[in-house]
Amino acid sequence: MAGSTFGRHFTIQTWGESHGKAIGVVIDGCPAGLPLCEEDIQKQLDRRKPGQSKFATPRREADQVEILSGVFEGKTTGTPISLLVQNTSQRSHDYSEISTYYRPGHADFTFDEKYGFRDYRGGGRSSGRETIGRAAAGAVAKKILKQLGIDVMAYTKSIGPISIDMDHFDKAAITETPTGMPDLEAAKKAEAYLEACMKETDSAGGVVECTVVGCPAGIGEPVFDKLDAVLGKAVLSIGAVKAFEIGDGCSVARSKGSENNDAFRVKDGSVTKETNHAGGILGGISDGSPIILRAYIKPTPSIHRTQQTVNKAGQEISVNIKGRHDPIIVPRAVVVVESMTAIALLDLLLENMKSKMDYLERIYLA
């Protein structure tokens, strides 16, 4: 299977299946000398692990990370970092029935068409557990960015029809509420909405927003590796994400140029913008403003109600999917969107080191 590697300079390769023995990631290109321990990574993994609220799958996994290589005496060595998480709560018998048919909204049919074979136990590589490797690598990327003064923060912007009010923004609420919303009032409404969905044996979707503060101007390659294009690939590679926006996103199609353009100003001797409709990126290159992106996430396709599908014999059938599933993916996807944003940005920061002679001279002539 190709396509399990992301990045050119800070590269990650995730591996493992939902119901295999373990799952993990290999990180290459991490600079030597970064202080790193398992606790640094565990904090990120704890944000996405299952069984933490009634709105997450009841599958109980500690998701305990082990550093197998690339760290010595508490610091990265510059060699590949291998991270492993054991799977300890597989119930593969819950999935034996789906080996004969295609679940609506899942990758069962497309995997069979592509490979002629699929791991039906929880979806194999198409399972949400694949994102463990992304979250683990994201912890490393975020730590590097933090040392560079760059902060990456994601949160739930909306669940179903319930959206946050930015005037009520409370950063602490992101990790304190089961919805991942930074607005306690909206979080309560979203919880009531999700409870109604669960009573109807249905699921919900939503939007994750991510902001990057402190990114310098000049990051991104202006043709095929535009910053927004690379971020788009990173975020759209997350299984349940169906749409992606930067800045004003789709609403720019309804704007006029006079409304959408961000006026430039000089403040304290530096070029700034009055507004940020562009979301911090112009011409595929960061402009120094906060980067703002959004991921639109579909409802969980595994729902406990009768659905129509076909089996491998080509017969039309009705199914009731069994197993342990999230009624909503969005809250656990927050850290994954944050992680992929950090990984993509760090990769382009490393790429940018060769864009000017000044940068090379600072490194090699200092």
Side-chain angles (χ1 to χ4, degrees):
M1 174 189 287
S4 290
T5 302
F6 180 86
R8 294 172 60 182
H9 302 279
F10 183 88
T11 66
I12 69 167
Q13 183 176 60
T14 67
W15 55 267
E17 295 78 36
S18 175
H19 284 230
K21 291 184 178 181
I23 204 156
V25 64
V26 176
I27 304 166
D28 202 4
C30 179
L34 176 73
L36 187 68
C37 64
E38 289 166 346
E39 185 181 354
D40 296 326
I41 299 161
Q42 195 63 50
K43 291 176 183 176
Q44 283 282 92
L45 293 183
D46 286 347
R47 293 173 60 191
R48 71 148 304 282
K49 73 179 181 182
Q52 299 190 87
S53 81
K54 58 186 173 182
F55 304 125
T57 171
R59 176 173 176 168
R60 292 287 180 178
E61 292 277 6
D63 284 354
Q64 198 71 38
V65 69
E66 297 177 57
I67 299 177
L68 302 184
S69 67
V71 177
F72 180 65
E73 295 184 342
K75 292 187 177 181
T76 56
T77 63
T79 59
I81 301 168
S82 185
L83 306 175
L84 176 144
V85 171
Q86 298 283 350
N87 288 327
T88 60
S89 182
Q90 308 97 316
R91 282 184 6 195
S92 300
H93 61 273
D94 285 347
Y95 297 88
S96 57
E97 182 183 307
I98 68 170
S99 64
T100 63
Y101 64 79
Y102 303 122
R103 293 169 295 172
H106 280 275
D108 302 342
F109 172 73
T110 50
F111 262 63
D112 259 2
E113 287 294 297
K114 181 173 179 63
Y115 298 107
F117 175 81
R118 63 185 164 95
D119 183 347
Y120 58 81
R121 306 165 302 163
R125 287 291 286 163
S126 64
S127 167
R129 277 193 72 73
E130 180 272 335
T131 62
I132 284 175
R134 299 168 185 247
V140 180
K142 280 187 63 180
K143 188 156 192 184
I144 296 172
L145 293 178
K146 186 175 182 179
Q147 287 199 200
L148 299 175
I150 301 171
D151 180 65
V152 183
M153 176 183 65
Y155 47 84
T156 301
K157 185 176 180 64
S158 67
I159 288 176
I162 313 298
S163 297
I164 64 170
D165 182 343
M166 293 301 284
D167 290 335
H168 299 160
F169 194 94
D170 179 359
K171 184 178 179 179
I174 298 172
T175 54
E176 291 174 356
T177 64
T179 62
M181 286 179 152
D183 174 352
L184 293 174
E185 186 176 328
K188 289 179 181 178
K189 293 178 181 178
E191 287 184 45
Y193 174 76
L194 289 173
E195 287 173 353
C197 287
M198 291 169 71
K199 287 179 181 177
E200 298 169 357
T201 61
D202 218 334
S203 60
V207 180
V208 172
E209 185 165 82
C210 186
T211 63
V212 180
V213 177
C215 179
I219 306 304
E221 303 304 305
V223 185
F224 296 116
D225 288 333
K226 291 180 170 68
L227 176 54
D228 37 4
V230 174
L231 287 169
K233 179 179 180 180
V235 173
L236 284 166
S237 72
I238 302 167
V241 175
K242 300 301 290 183
F244 173 80
E245 284 185 338
I246 289 279
D248 284 1
C250 295
S251 66
V252 300
R254 301 186 296 273
S255 297
K256 296 177 181 177
S258 56
E259 299 167 330
N260 183 245
N261 288 344
D262 298 311
F264 286 106
R265 293 285 185 267
V266 174
K267 183 178 180 181
D268 300 326
S270 299
V271 176
T272 64
K273 299 187 307 181
E274 278 192 348
T275 54
N276 193 20
H277 299 293
I281 302 173
L282 292 168
I285 304 171
S286 61
D287 62 25
S289 303
I291 297 168
I292 303 171
L293 61 87
R294 276 166 236 101
Y296 288 73
I297 298 173
K298 71 178 184 178
T300 313
S302 290
I303 53 177
H304 296 294
R305 62 161 59 187
T306 302
Q307 299 183 81
Q308 304 304 308
T309 188
V310 299
N311 59 25
K312 295 180 76 170
Q315 300 168 314
E316 295 183 353
I317 60 172
S318 298
V319 296
N320 290 88
I321 297 173
K322 301 175 184 177
R324 301 165 292 176
H325 308 287
D326 301 77
I328 183 167
I329 299 167
V330 177
R332 294 176 62 208
V334 167
V335 69
V336 184
V337 172
E338 190 176 278
S339 294
M340 290 308 297
T341 299
I343 292 163
L345 180 59
L346 176 57
D347 193 47
L348 284 176
L349 279 162
L350 293 171
E351 175 80 32
N352 196 59
M353 291 172 66
K354 64 183 182 183
S355 64
K356 293 181 182 179
M357 279 300 301
D358 288 353
Y359 297 159
L360 292 177
E361 288 171 355
R362 288 180 200 173
I363 295 171
Y364 294 109
L365 297 181

